[in-house]
Amino acid sequence: YQNVIVALHDVSLAVYAGEIHALLGANGAGKSTTLKAVSNLLPAERGRVTEGTVVFDGLDVARTSPAALVRHGLVQVLEGRHCFASLSVEENLITGALNRGARRSEIALGLERIYAIFPRLKARRSSLAGLVSGGEQQMTAIGRALIAHPRLLVLDEPSMGLAPIVVQEIFAQLKRLNREEGLSILVAEQNSTVALKYADRATVLDAGTSVVTGDA
């Protein structure tokens, strides 16, 4: 970061098609930086990858814009339930389809799919995203990513600040999508108990270095 701070030193991991891979570690271990490197979002924070490579389905991530990565199927949900607070829940979901140039009929089908995955969003579809609960905001952020038809969904701390029952609901739906549709997921979590319950494999980060990788 800013040509001064080295956050990651020797991180190596592979996410295989059709698996859920958990990235575990304490606060400050480098999980978010790793995910931003995977999604080529570091330049937005005056950061960069100085050594090594990140490859997604044959693409050199560092040479591919985040928008192009989304079109190729790599979609990230950032930490902190980022929603457009002044837009409705449904308008937030629709923004996830705009990068693909989806037609109105495709957007309508996509919305119905998201409402089937997260039924409580259908009841709040007209509510401003800034006024719904934390769990509903997280579902909105994930739904916005899912409507973009990802092949690899990258999630940063999806359980943060949420009630355990909401966390279980979100992870159960993600596991179902993984099992039924083959959605690959890379999820960074401090809550290792929840992450390992649903993941296939995991990598543990410590002080910016990957120290353990194996079956969940």
Side-chain angles (χ1 to χ4, degrees), residues 82-148:
H82 290 279
C83 296
F84 298 106
S86 61
L87 298 183
S88 70
V89 166
E90 184 160 293
E91 288 168 338
N92 268 272
L93 295 175
I94 290 172
T95 64
L98 298 181
N99 193 41
R100 296 188 296 109
R103 290 175 294 197
R104 185 170 298 181
S105 59
E106 294 175 317
I107 292 174
L109 288 173
L111 288 171
E112 289 309 309
R113 175 173 174 262
I114 300 306
Y115 293 144
I117 295 169
F118 297 124
R120 67 169 74 186
L121 292 186
K122 189 168 187 176
R124 304 304 303 273
R125 63 198 302 172
S126 300
S127 302
L128 293 181
L131 300 179
V132 301
S133 70
E136 289 162 347
Q137 288 179 352
Q138 186 65 283
M139 291 175 188
T140 299
I142 294 173
R144 184 178 60 205
L146 291 174
I147 209 169

Side-chain angles (χ1 to χ4, degrees), residues 8 25 36 94 151 168:
L8 305 176
K36 288 172 184 174
I94 290 172
R151 290 183 294 131
Q168 294 289 345

Side-chain angles (χ1 to χ4, degrees), residues 63 77 152 170 181:
R63 296 176 179 272
V77 178
L152 174 61
I170 290 173
E181 300 182 13

Side-chain angles (χ1 to χ4, degrees), residues 7 13 24 35 95 123 173-174 177 191 205 214:
L13 71 141
L24 307 177
L35 296 193
T95 64
Q173 289 295 346
L174 291 173
L177 291 172
N191 190 337
L205 294 187

Side-chain angles (χ1 to χ4, degrees), residues 52-101:
T53 57
V54 182
V55 178
F56 171 66
D57 196 26
L59 290 173
D60 183 344
V61 165
R63 296 176 179 272
T64 310
S65 72
L69 287 172
V70 170
R71 287 193 293 272
H72 280 91
L74 192 162
V75 184
Q76 177 158 351
V77 178
L78 295 168
E79 178 185 349
R81 305 191 289 273
H82 290 279
C83 296
F84 298 106
S86 61
L87 298 183
S88 70
V89 166
E90 184 160 293
E91 288 168 338
N92 268 272
L93 295 175
I94 290 172
T95 64
L98 298 181
N99 193 41
R100 296 188 296 109

